[in-house]
Amino acid sequence: MRFDVVTLFPDMINQACSHSIIARGIDSGVIEVNTFNPRDYTKDKHKKVDDTPFGGGAGMVLMCQPYFDCFDAIDKDADSEVIILSPQGEVFNQQLSMELAKKKQIVFICGHYEGFDERIKQYTKAREVSIGDYVLTGGELPALCMIDSISRNIEGFLGKMDSAHFDSFSDGLLEYPQYTKPREYCGLEVPEVLLGGNHQEIAKWRRKQQFIVTYKKRRDLFDNFKKNCNNKYDIKLLNEVLKEL
Ligand code: ADE
């Protein structure tokens, strides 16, 4: 997977991608992250990338020319997706992350300041994506969130041990609680079932915990899971949990 990021702040992307698991993914060649700066494509001697809005109003608007030319300079794969980061887009989630992980290339277009000239969206035929209902100062952090999440869903990115298959949301439920040594700390104890070595009991407890945690924290996810669940074992456990709650 190649991530190409159009940004006025390439250091934000390159710095963040030089640590931990993302850096390992780059080193191993599973992912590639490139940055393209529209400021390098300006024709203006002051390297201007924004201007005042037609019709008046506060703030500046990112201009077409540097963005069009920067976008054109990127080699596009036939199987590429172009994403413009904006709080007005469809909201990113695990399902979209898994869908995008199947692509060969994703081009992210990050904005800053007040916004883009609308024609940048039209020209790049970009899909508009938001990472949540709040406004950030630019698209770099959203692009990084998406790169991180999408990468985790790419075959070979995570080791087998931390496979994305076991993630929260991978089957629409949150995760069960985890514990490590010692058995007791400051009077707080590890649940007995985890200490016994009965793997069937442990698996059952963990599945029930997933239902309980999801029910308590995210009733929307729980209701959705319950509606679509057709696994007999899960249905039995779900009913047990609902009686206990
Ligand atoms: N740019 C500013 N806020 C954003 C958000 N919530 N998602 C994506 N891009 C953004």
Side-chain angles (χ1 to χ4, degrees):
M1 165 75 87
R2 191 171 129 192
F3 296 108
D4 290 327
V5 188
V6 174
T7 169
L8 293 168
F9 301 94
D11 290 350
M12 278 179 82
I13 304 293
N14 294 325
Q15 254 297 331
C17 292
S18 67
H19 303 279
S20 185
I21 300 175
I22 295 288
R24 194 182 71 191
I26 295 171
D27 286 344
S28 67
V30 178
I31 59 167
E32 186 183 317
V33 181
N34 306 302
T35 51
F36 297 84
N37 190 343
R39 209 175 286 283
D40 296 336
Y41 295 84
T42 51
K43 297 203 166 114
D44 168 276
K45 71 172 185 231
H46 301 293
K47 295 194 174 288
K48 195 171 145 79
V49 290
D50 54 2
D51 212 331
T52 51
F54 275 124
M60 301 292 270
V61 177
L62 295 165
M63 294 156 68
C64 291
Q65 182 275 318
Y67 278 83
F68 281 29
D69 290 354
C70 182
F71 180 73
D72 285 343
I74 301 172
D75 273 338
K76 316 273 193 323
D77 189 277
D79 186 28
S80 71
E81 180 89 33
V82 182
I83 289 175
I84 202 158
L85 283 323
S86 141
Q88 285 144 41
E90 63 183 297
V91 179
F92 186 59
N93 60 19
Q94 188 70 11
Q95 199 188 326
L96 181 53
S97 176
M98 294 194 290
E99 191 188 305
L100 291 171
K102 296 183 192 131
K103 296 273 167 194
K104 287 216 171 73
Q105 179 192 27
I106 300 178
V107 180
F108 289 105
I109 304 176
C110 305
H112 246 272
Y113 318 118
E114 293 304 307
F116 295 99
D117 187 308
E118 192 63 25
R119 291 166 295 184
I120 298 174
K121 284 176 213 162
Q122 292 171 323
Y123 184 75
T124 58
K125 300 191 175 62
R127 183 169 182 172
E128 215 174 342
V129 178
S130 162
I131 61 156
D133 291 338
Y134 43 85
V135 182
L136 298 163
T137 53
E140 285 75 14
L141 293 174
L144 286 166
C145 287
M146 288 182 66
I147 290 171
D148 189 294
S149 160
I150 294 165
S151 297
R152 300 182 79 261
N153 293 312
I154 298 172
E155 190 79 33
F157 180 81
L158 292 178
K160 281 206 188 71
M161 289 301 287
D162 38 12
S163 161
H165 178 69
F166 300 108
D167 280 352
S168 291
F169 301 115
S170 71
D171 65 357
L173 293 170
L174 303 182
E175 273 174 32
Y176 52 79
Q178 294 269 35
Y179 299 86
T180 187
K181 294 174 195 76
R183 281 177 174 218
E184 186 268 347
Y185 195 71
C186 293
L188 300 170
E189 294 194 4
V190 174
E192 197 64 37
V193 60
L194 299 177
L195 308 172
N198 182 335
H199 296 297
Q200 208 177 338
E201 279 304 306
I202 292 172
K204 185 176 167 192
W205 181 85
R206 286 182 165 163
R207 194 65 178 157
K208 280 177 122 176
Q209 285 297 315
Q210 280 195 278
F211 295 147
I212 293 165
V213 170
T214 311
Y215 182 88
K216 288 189 176 155
K217 294 186 183 170
R218 290 291 303 274
R219 192 68 61 88
D220 56 328
L221 294 179
F222 179 86
D223 289 344
N224 200 38
F225 179 87
K226 188 164 170 275
K227 201 171 74 194
N228 298 311
C229 178
N230 47 26
N231 175 302
K232 274 192 188 151
Y233 179 71
D234 274 345
I235 294 172
K236 182 173 160 276
L237 288 190
L238 257 178
N239 287 329
E240 278 180 35
V241 163
L242 284 171
K243 270 190 220 130
E244 289 162 19
L245 280 166

